[in-house]
Amino acid sequence: MLRGVNRILTGLAGVVLVAFGAAVLIGSLDLQRRWGFTLPSAWPFDAPGDVLLGRAERREWRAEGWWWPAVIAALALVVLLALWWLLAQLRRGRLREVLVDSGDGEAVVVRGSALEEVLSAEAESSAGVRRALVVLRGRRPAPEVRVGLTLEPHGSPEAAVRGLSAEVLAHARASTGVARIPAEVRVGVVRHRAERVG
């Protein structure tokens, strides 16, 4: 979901910046008179000396009682949305710790990087896997795993993913006491030269 929000926000920011930049560029270079085209009546800048809000317009808006509260509320909303977006980006980082149920009612904390290294080493020991990169995400009591598998030239993606699920993730669930560890797996193959047949 966050990836979709990032794309929408980036697209909207790009559209707004391109539109505003085009308006300023057309007005400041006086392109409509040089190239002989007309602009819509609502175009904000149509001459080099134009400003977004002239003195008369500023006085007119200041006289309205709702103007300043609306401006402050809009700016506060923009700041809050920007802070939410920034915090959401920071939360997407790696999981630093995983809570492990020790069975006696007390929780034990395991470093996320140590668990990542163990999972990577176990995945790399599977048949047909050249390299494995494991990243832990999610929350401390409910970790999620993102795995990148690089297979040998003749490795089987199906066998690698099945082995990852049946062995590596099963061992991780058993050792951490977490009933379910969702995994996103990306599979690639080592580049190799073509072999002659016959």
Side-chain angles (χ1 to χ4, degrees), residues 76-143:
L77 182 63
V78 168
V79 169
L80 288 175
L81 286 174
L83 285 174
W84 168 81
W85 181 76
L86 179 63
L87 290 174
Q89 301 306 312
L90 294 176
R91 271 186 288 169
R92 289 181 62 200
R94 290 183 167 185
L95 189 62
R96 294 184 181 181
E97 298 174 338
V98 176
L99 286 179
V100 177
D101 186 8
S102 61
D104 59 359
E106 294 195 16
V108 177
V109 177
V110 175
R111 278 192 358 222
S113 59
L115 191 54
E116 288 174 350
E117 289 175 13
V118 170
L119 293 176
S120 295
E122 189 172 358
E124 286 175 357
S125 68
S126 301
V129 176
R130 169 80 61 92
R131 278 190 313 273
L133 176 65
V134 177
V135 176
L136 285 174
R137 298 190 183 274
R139 296 175 295 116
R140 287 174 35 165

Side-chain angles (χ1 to χ4, degrees), residues 119-132 149-152 159-165 167-168:
L119 293 176
S120 295
E122 189 172 358
E124 286 175 357
S125 68
S126 301
V129 176
R130 169 80 61 92
R131 278 190 313 273
L149 295 178
T150 304
L151 302 182
E152 298 286 356
V161 172
R162 193 182 317 117
L164 180 76
S165 176
E167 296 175 13
V168 179

